[in-house]
Amino acid sequence: MTTTSAPNPATPRTSRRIITISLVIIAAIIAAFFVFAALYTDFLWFDQLQFANVLTTQWLATAVMFVVGFLGMAVPLFIVIQLAYRLRPVYVRLSSQLDRYQEVIEPLRRLAMWGMPIFFGLFAGFAAAGNWETVWLWFNGGATGQIDPEFGMDTGFYLFAMPFYSILLAFVSAVILLCLIVTALVSYLYGSVRIGQGELRISKAARIQLAVLAGLYLLVQAASLWLDRYRTLVTEEDRITGAAYTGVNATIPGMAILAILAALVAILFFVTAVIGRWRFPLVATGLLIVASLVVGIGYPWVVTTFQVRPNQNSFQAEYYQRNIDGTKQAYDIANLEVTPFKAVTDAEAGQLREDAETTASIRILDPSIISPTVQQLEQFRGYYQFKETLDVDRYEIDGETQDTVVAVRELDVNRLGDSNNWNNRTAVYTHGYGLVVAAGNQRTSEGEPVFLERGIPTSGFLTESEQFEPRVYFGEDSPLYSIVGAPEGTDPVEIDYPRGEDGANETKTTFTGEGGPAIGNTFNKLLYALKFQEAEILFSDLVNADSQILYDRNPVDRVQKAAPYLELDSDAYPSVVDGRVVWIVDGYTTSSTYPYSTSVSLSDAIADSNTAAPNFAIDDINYIRNSVKATVDAYDGSVTLYAWDDEDPILKAWQNVYPSTVEPISEMSADLMSHVRYPTDLFKVQREVLGVYHVDTAGSFAQQDNRWQTPNDPRNDNQLQPPYYLSMQMPGQDSPRFSMFSTFIPSSAQGTTSRNVLMGYLAVDSDAGSTAGEKAEGYGQLNLLEIDADTTVPGPGQVQNTFNSDPAVVQQLNLLQQGESQVKYGNLLTLPVGGGLLYVQPVYVQSSEGTQLPLLQKVLVTFGDSVAFEDTLTAALDVIFGGDSGASGGDEEVEPVDPGDGTTPPDEGTTEPPSDEDARAAALADAQQALSDREAALKDGDLTAFAEADKRLTTAITELLALETAE
């Protein structure tokens, strides 16, 4: 008879262990799936954009460098631990304290011998992975053809090789030092190193291991010291970046001597490993430390104190010149054309006759002020919005180039009110609509912009093209994500614009492009539901087989992901190119290791009254190129990168890292070429550098008696005045060119008692022409008018003070500010016309309460000592120049009216009055908007906004009743 025993029931401890292990496994699987979801959705995004190789290159490079870093640290550390333990003395008397240490450590010995290398290897792996770009640049970088004046090395060594060698030596040094410390610790714990009775005893095996490691460490320090010689060309000394007299004659030779001494001491340690005598390497190490103090610190101090300072200008002249030349090359300002300019200050009749084309295109619309006006006139619905500061562009209209102020009508889903649910903000309100274009040099009689393209649906010179696509799915304020697309024949659900046919309130559309990853299958739905933490993506019927998900829609963000090696301009601007609204983004390659080039804080140089200081991964740079022009299609989000500076060595290296991602300039269409411009941020950096480096000789640089700075904005004394674009004919040019401008005042002009006078006027040709794939001759040419010192020309701050204190101007300003009105000053423009410098500033009037609608009412103009404050620029110029300036502004035909007299002349930009049907539709739209605003204000408890919206509602209803009565 066979019997079997019943299985033993699991003990509570065993059950808890099984449950714990199960929970850990489940948690690990869930975490892994979340990681997979993030990585896979990233791949889908890049793959749809056709930049998948950018992401896979980053993944591969990061993984390779992590493995290299991990093994580079873990393997040597594991080897030295194993050697130190296995070669320990077998029979040795240990102290009672060490015995206790061993009793504690022994149970954890195996864990420690494996755990320490893994622990430090992980840290090293992550550190190495973070430096993969430096390694890949070194591997793919090449020569530049520029030679440094000290060592005769190609500057490519400093841009690519030196940063790599620096991190390599730092890594190897850290590995050897850690191995040395761990070897000493293990040897001490297991008796290979004994300290007692006033002596130090080291076993032969430990001696060899410690001496070899110490020798290797010193060899690495010797190599680092040798490399430090080259680093002196990118570090500051005296007033410059780069080795000056002390650096060349004391620091660099001293580092070479110390490198040789360190190598000799390393050899002594290797000898000690063989013969066992520690005295010689230890004494040599002490002498090395003393030598480093004498040669590395003492001798340079002596040279600086007793040779350089008493004869600074003469001793440093050669090195100042090196710095001037290196800085101009690095910031691409070596081709600066300097023109002495003796400004005329007397105004005479007809003086502007030769500058008539320039005065006719003076931009009197300030992009940073008129946004509220555009918002009120062109918003149509509360869920539309415009940027706070608009952009400047130019278009060819009827054969003539017109400077314009442009703005994209984008969505603001945060203002949907009660309609702000997942369905609406994700699948219904998906895109903005239209580009608003206003003439920069014109205004209506009421002070409003003269629109060249406007309305919903759009109308104007752009809409005349049959291929014009006004829908904006990708913009600076697009929703976080939208789900678009549907099978053919499906009823559209996306709001296209708030006006329809046959009395409908709205027109709907369906996205037909390729703008985002497909999300039609269940697996992708699940992934994106996890990514955005919204279950509706998984269960909504709005997500169909043809659905796409659009996200990361800001044009700057898209370009940054497609080209992560670029620093991007702070101002992406919209243009219509070949019938499509596109965002144009300028990309820069930068470096901080160009020899003999002065460093600039990128964020400080870019910040001004229109631009807050941006954040950069590398802020201090000493080399910059506008290497890439990028476009982002506002409809489908496609990103195209063009190699604008194909000679830039850094761009060439990155093109090797990310092949086939950048198109040659020859692929740029003629229409696109006509809209690209010289980038704002690059110009700001260059003007920052030119404040000091507009001089050519070391003598002028040394005297520091001609340093300039950008003036503060007269409207905001705590921020720099921003540069501005205008089509203007500079002295020496044969026709007006679309250019960017800025001014200089003495660098000491700080505070209320300083002299704020004009010293220089900087311009850069920003017109790339209109030939496909070819830059116009002269594009990027920097021109500097150096104001003659014998002629005092007031700076912007002084001019603004003149405007504010002129009795006639003050009297008229007081009239404009009566009641509930307030005055806003526009941008103060400086123009070299009539042989002198003309200042022009538009003046706007708006309500101080309720709806604020800045309207251009006056123009301030000054030339020399003359000041005019008139209704139009044309009239102000005539007042300044003896009743007839010989030229006119773009507002010549305007007949201004008092904004309070109740008259409403027709818009100068229209050719015929609107029809009754259009007027009724507009009034109905105004009533609906006012009603929505009133309800929102009531909900928020804002009685002021409620009253203002109620007033607009009453006005709209009255207008509707009047239209009905007229019929």
Side-chain angles (χ1 to χ4, degrees):
M1 181 176 180
T2 302
T3 61
T4 56
S5 59
N8 294 326
T11 64
R13 179 177 298 179
T14 304
S15 299
R16 286 196 299 270
R17 183 178 300 174
I18 293 173
I19 293 172
T20 301
I21 293 174
S22 300
L23 291 175
V24 169
I25 292 174
I26 292 172
I29 292 173
I30 293 174
F33 188 74
F34 270 94
V35 172
F36 168 77
L39 295 177
Y40 187 62
T41 52
D42 273 350
F43 177 80
L44 291 176
W45 188 92
F46 277 92
D47 186 53
Q48 186 279 324
L49 203 63
Q50 299 183 357
F51 281 87
N53 64 325
V54 172
L55 185 64
T56 54
T57 297
Q58 293 178 36
W59 285 354
L60 177 63
T62 302
V64 168
M65 289 304 300
F66 177 84
V67 172
V68 169
F70 178 83
L71 295 178
M73 174 65 78
V75 171
L77 203 55
F78 179 79
I79 291 174
V80 298
I81 291 175
Q82 292 292 327
L83 287 175
Y85 176 75
R86 294 180 182 277
L87 298 177
R88 70 192 185 282
V90 179
Y91 303 104
V92 62
R93 171 180 287 182
L94 300 176
S95 66
S96 59
Q97 187 175 13
L98 282 180
D99 282 335
R100 288 194 297 272
Y101 285 159
Q102 286 193 6
E103 289 177 2
V104 174
I105 293 172
E106 191 60 28
L108 302 174
R109 176 175 58 80
R110 287 185 178 275
L111 178 62
M113 294 178 70
W114 286 93
M116 287 182 62
I118 293 175
F119 177 77
F120 287 106
L122 288 173
F123 274 99
F126 286 121
N131 286 303
W132 74 265
E133 291 180 333
T134 302
V135 178
W136 258 242
L137 271 182
W138 164 73
F139 186 78
N140 291 281
T144 66
Q146 300 289 330
I147 304 300
D148 86 77
E150 177 58 29
F151 297 106
M153 301 286 288
D154 188 276
T155 55
F157 168 80
Y158 298 91
L159 295 175
F160 307 120
M162 189 176 72
F164 167 72
Y165 293 144
S166 296
I167 64 170
L168 176 63
L169 290 172
F171 180 82
V172 174
S173 178
V175 171
I176 296 176
L177 182 60
L178 191 58
C179 288
L180 186 61
I181 293 172
V182 170
T183 297
L185 178 62
V186 174
S187 298
Y188 175 72
L189 288 174
Y190 287 94
S192 298
V193 175
R194 286 171 290 165
I195 303 173
Q197 299 178 352
E199 63 178 352
L200 173 67
R201 294 184 180 183
I202 305 176
S203 69
K204 181 179 180 181
R207 181 196 74 213
I208 294 174
Q209 188 170 343
L210 290 170
V212 169
L213 287 172
L216 290 174
Y217 182 76
L218 282 170
L219 276 182
V220 173
Q221 301 314 302
S224 183
L225 284 167
W226 193 262
L227 185 65
D228 285 344
R229 297 162 59 250
Y230 299 99
R231 276 200 285 258
T232 59
L233 270 60
V234 296
T235 55
E236 292 186 5
E237 180 182 339
D238 192 17
R239 303 170 185 170
I240 65 172
T241 296
Y245 184 89
T246 300
V248 170
N249 294 280
T251 305
I252 292 176
M255 288 179 176
I257 293 171
L258 290 175
I260 295 171
L261 290 177
L264 293 175
V265 175
I267 294 173
L268 290 178
F269 273 102
F270 295 144
V271 171
T272 295
V274 177
I275 66 175
R277 295 182 179 273
W278 289 96
R279 180 179 303 172
F280 297 118
L282 293 178
V283 171
T285 301
L287 292 176
L288 178 62
I289 295 173
V290 173
S292 66
L293 295 174
V294 174
V295 177
I297 299 176
Y299 183 55
W301 179 84
V302 171
V303 172
T304 300
T305 304
F306 297 104
Q307 285 188 275
V308 176
R309 287 181 182 171
N311 310 282
Q312 185 168 0
N313 290 355
S314 59
F315 272 55
Q316 302 284 42
E318 176 186 353
Y319 310 103
Y320 288 166
Q321 192 62 52
R322 290 181 180 182
N323 179 242
I324 293 171
D325 297 339
T327 299
K328 290 188 173 184
Q329 180 65 35
Y331 290 98
D332 201 20
I333 55 176
N335 66 338
L336 175 71
E337 290 187 0
V338 181
T339 304
F341 188 72
K342 189 174 181 62
V344 174
T345 57
D346 297 327
E348 299 177 356
Q351 195 165 331
L352 300 184
R353 188 164 287 111
E354 295 182 0
D355 298 295
E357 289 188 74
T358 292
T359 59
S361 61
I362 293 175
R363 180 172 46 76
I364 55 176
L365 285 189
D366 186 344
S368 64
I369 286 184
I370 66 167
S371 180
T373 304
V374 174
Q375 185 89 2
Q376 289 294 326
L377 298 177
E378 291 294 316
Q379 182 180 18
F380 291 101
R381 287 292 186 273
Y383 50 77
Y384 287 131
Q385 63 176 322
F386 294 91
K387 282 178 59 178
E388 184 176 343
T389 298
L390 308 187
D391 291 293
V392 175
D393 200 358
R394 73 275 190 204
Y395 288 90
E396 185 174 314
I397 303 175
D398 297 330
E400 295 186 2
T401 300
Q402 171 71 59
D403 287 3
T404 60
V405 176
V406 300
V408 170
R409 187 184 290 105
E410 294 200 58
L411 277 180
D412 184 2
V413 294
N414 295 320
R415 299 183 63 183
L416 290 176
D418 293 338
S419 301
N420 190 3
N421 55 50
W422 184 87
N423 284 294
N424 283 337
R425 68 173 178 269
T426 302
V428 177
Y429 296 95
T430 59
H431 61 280
Y433 192 92
L435 184 76
V436 174
V437 182
N441 61 339
Q442 300 175 38
R443 70 178 178 90
T444 69
S445 297
E446 291 182 309
E448 297 176 357
V450 173
F451 292 106
L452 307 174
E453 180 77 20
R454 66 182 303 182
I456 292 182
T458 57
S459 62
F461 75 102
L462 294 173
T463 312
E464 294 172 0
S465 170
E466 295 181 358
Q467 61 179 349
F468 179 55
E469 174 55 71
R471 296 167 184 85
V472 179
Y473 283 86
F474 294 83
E476 295 178 306
D477 294 295
S478 295
L480 176 63
Y481 71 92
S482 294
I483 297 176
V484 299
E488 188 175 351
T490 304
D491 291 337
V493 297
E494 302 175 49
I495 297 293
D496 203 17
Y497 51 84
R499 187 172 298 177
E501 297 179 356
D502 300 327
N505 291 329
E506 57 199 17
T507 298
K508 295 186 177 182
T509 188
T510 298
F511 180 78
T512 59
E514 294 292 334
I519 197 175
N521 61 70
T522 303
F523 184 65
N524 284 5
K525 289 181 187 179
L526 176 60
L527 294 180
Y528 279 102
L530 292 174
K531 178 179 180 67
F532 292 106
Q533 301 292 294
E534 290 189 315
E536 291 90 340
I537 296 176
L538 188 60
F539 301 114
S540 175
D541 291 337
L542 290 173
V543 185
N544 55 68
D546 291 347
S547 289
Q548 303 172 45
I549 184 166
L550 314 181
Y551 62 100
D552 287 338
R553 300 160 75 175
N554 186 295
V556 173
D557 294 341
R558 293 180 76 80
V559 174
Q560 190 69 82
K561 292 181 72 172
Y565 52 89
L566 294 176
E567 297 288 359
L568 300 182
D569 196 273
S570 58
D571 184 21
Y573 60 97
S575 287
V576 175
V577 176
D578 300 320
R580 310 276 287 195
V581 178
V582 300
W583 297 92
I584 300 176
V585 185
D586 285 286
Y588 309 109
T589 45
T590 62
S591 177
S592 58
T593 57
Y594 195 91
Y596 278 110
S597 175
T598 292
S599 295
V600 167
S601 170
L602 200 54
S603 58
D604 289 346
I606 291 173
D608 58 31
S609 61
N610 284 345
T611 307
N615 294 319
F616 296 100
I618 300 177
D619 188 42
D620 292 325
I621 64 166
N622 69 355
Y623 172 94
I624 186 170
R625 287 293 186 275
N626 177 209
S627 54
V628 171
K629 299 282 188 183
T631 62
V632 178
D633 191 294
Y635 183 78
D636 62 20
S638 56
V639 174
T640 309
L641 308 175
Y642 298 98
W644 188 250
D645 186 352
D646 54 9
E647 296 300 318
D648 174 44
I650 299 180
L651 178 61
K652 288 181 179 179
W654 282 117
Q655 285 181 294
N656 293 331
V657 176
Y658 300 117
S660 304
T661 57
V662 181
E663 302 288 339
I665 191 175
S666 59
E667 295 297 316
M668 298 181 71
S669 70
D671 203 10
L672 176 58
M673 292 295 293
S674 69
H675 288 285
V676 298
R677 66 192 190 192
Y678 199 81
T680 308
D681 288 353
L682 175 60
F683 185 72
K684 291 178 184 179
V685 171
Q686 289 174 326
R687 75 175 180 180
E688 172 79 10
V689 174
L690 284 171
V692 175
Y693 291 90
H694 61 275
V695 300
D696 294 319
T697 63
S700 298
F701 180 88
Q703 293 170 13
Q704 300 189 39
D705 59 348
N706 194 24
R707 294 200 170 195
W708 302 340
Q709 70 179 33
T710 305
N712 286 337
D713 191 330
R715 299 174 295 160
N716 186 349
D717 200 41
N718 296 319
Q719 299 289 338
L720 297 181
Q721 185 180 36
Y724 43 89
Y725 291 98
L726 288 174
S727 289
M728 187 169 66
Q729 182 175 337
M730 285 282 288
Q733 292 181 337
D734 54 5
S735 62
R737 302 279 294 176
F738 185 73
S739 304
M740 185 162 39
F741 305 93
S742 187
T743 57
F744 290 110
I745 60 175
S747 61
S748 59
Q750 300 173 356
T752 57
T753 60
S754 302
R755 290 185 73 228
N756 191 298
V757 296
L758 213 59
M759 303 300 295
Y761 186 82
L762 181 65
V764 62
D765 190 330
S766 302
D767 190 348
S770 56
T771 303
E774 184 179 336
K775 300 179 191 177
E777 183 179 356
Y779 170 85
Q781 176 61 54
L782 290 160
N783 293 279
L784 176 65
L785 300 183
E786 192 164 8
I787 312 300
D788 186 81
D790 295 332
T791 305
T792 300
V793 178
Q798 215 180 107
V799 168
Q800 190 70 66
N801 181 70
T802 299
F803 286 157
N804 295 341
S805 59
D806 184 273
V809 173
V810 170
Q811 183 179 5
Q812 294 187 62
L813 286 174
N814 289 335
L815 292 174
L816 291 174
Q817 296 181 94
Q818 287 182 347
E820 296 182 351
S821 298
Q822 68 180 55
V823 168
K824 295 192 72 173
Y825 292 101
N827 41 209
L828 182 60
L829 307 177
T830 311
L831 303 98
V833 295
L837 287 152
L838 178 77
Y839 283 95
V840 175
Q841 184 175 44
V843 175
Y844 296 80
V845 178
Q846 69 176 22
S847 172
S848 58
E849 298 179 359
T851 301
Q852 294 185 325
L853 189 73
L855 299 174
L856 178 56
Q857 296 297 319
K858 294 282 187 177
V859 180
L860 279 162
V861 175
T862 182
F863 186 94
D865 296 328
S866 303
V867 176
F869 188 41
E870 301 298 326
D871 294 332
T872 65
L873 174 61
T874 302
L877 293 176
D878 286 340
V879 169
I880 290 286
F881 293 95
D884 180 13
S885 65
S888 63
D891 59 354
E892 182 179 13
E893 302 298 326
V894 173
E895 296 181 3
V897 297
D898 185 346
D901 66 2
T903 62
T904 54
D907 191 331
E908 294 294 325
T910 60
T911 57
E912 58 183 12
S915 66
D916 288 347
E917 183 179 353
D918 290 339
R920 185 182 297 103
L924 181 61
D926 291 341
Q928 291 174 335
Q929 180 63 52
L931 181 61
S932 175
D933 291 346
R934 190 179 71 161
E935 291 174 352
L938 183 61
K939 183 177 179 181
D940 295 337
D942 189 346
L943 297 181
T944 301
F946 176 87
E948 188 272 334
D950 186 73
K951 182 178 179 181
R952 286 191 286 116
L953 178 61
T954 302
T955 302
I957 292 174
T958 301
E959 186 174 351
L960 283 169
L961 292 174
L963 289 170
E964 294 295 330
T965 303
E967 290 184 352

